[in-house]
Amino acid sequence: MVAELEKVEKGLIKAVDEKTIRDFLFTSNTKLNEKQQNMFMQIAIRHNLDPFKREIYPVAYGNEFSIVTGYEVYIQRAEKTGNLSGWHCENTDEGAKITIYRKDWDEPFVWEATYDEFDKGQSSWKKMPKFMIKKVCIGQGFRLAFSEDLGGMPYLREEMEGAEPFNNKSKIESPQGRKKTAKKEKPLLKVTTTIDKVSAHETKSGSSLYKILGEKDIIYSTFSEGLATLARSAMEGGCQIEMTHKNDTYNTIEDIKILEGEHADKTDPA
């Protein structure tokens, strides 16, 4: 994002300001409360994303929401760096694979996204699964290949749909075996906390494990990129979250909910 900020400062591109964001929020049907509006505004301004161009938009579900962007934004930002030499994405039997060429890299960057990780049977995935998985692959590929420019930007809706709480209303309870399993598992715990850090660690299998640092230096873990994104959004917006996690060694996260209410700034008394 350094290059983007430099262009804003030099007047080469127009900066997204508070008025632009508030006009969008107050004249649309997003129905965000004041807390959610402030978070949306902070992220949009920080990354210079224009809501009128649908470069950033909120997705509401019940009293909760998520902040997302489109895969085209990633491509446009990568092109503006001057280091994009070319790219192509293709469907595979397992999902999709993208190859990205950077002018300053000797080897191309290759990334794959699979159906089993993201296709949860929602409406769009039923109608056009090949296109949906390609969008996920494009978004993830460009975010990783141009992490210095795209790091911290909102994720794609297609990525977020594979994580809680998008699925919390569409889960199908198994009539058999569920009760027996529940008896053996430890009860889930709920904690209200702020987020100090969200970090990703690659496992031996090549998947990403996300570690979330909460209050009292307690670390929580998840393999869900969507849940990690919700935590990161709350951290950037200065919001508390209600986190449901397993009572296990890793404090494995099951669900994250961004809480309502005003956020009190922590300032030293005069």
Side-chain angles (χ1 to χ4, degrees), residues 61 65-66 160 164-165 226-235 256 258:
Y61 39 99
F65 86 119
S66 186
M160 300 292 292
E164 297 286 358
L227 289 176
T229 300
L230 286 176
R232 188 179 290 108
S233 296
M235 178 182 67
I256 288 179
I258 299 176

Side-chain angles (χ1 to χ4, degrees), residues 197-209:
K197 184 178 181 182
V198 179
S199 57
H201 305 268
E202 186 172 343
T203 64
K204 292 182 179 180
S205 63
S207 58
S208 294
L209 173 65

Side-chain angles (χ1 to χ4, degrees), residues 162-173:
E164 297 286 358
F166 273 95
N167 294 335
N168 61 0
K169 294 183 179 179
S170 60
K171 284 185 176 179
I172 300 176
E173 297 293 332

Side-chain angles (χ1 to χ4, degrees), residues 136-151:
V136 169
C137 192
I138 291 170
Q140 290 189 332
F142 273 96
R143 192 168 60 244
L144 291 169
F146 291 86
S147 58
E148 68 275 23
D149 298 280
L150 303 179

Side-chain angles (χ1 to χ4, degrees), residues 172-183:
I172 300 176
E173 297 293 332
S174 174
Q176 298 178 349
R178 179 59 59 88
K179 292 184 178 180
K180 292 182 179 179
T181 302
K183 291 181 180 179

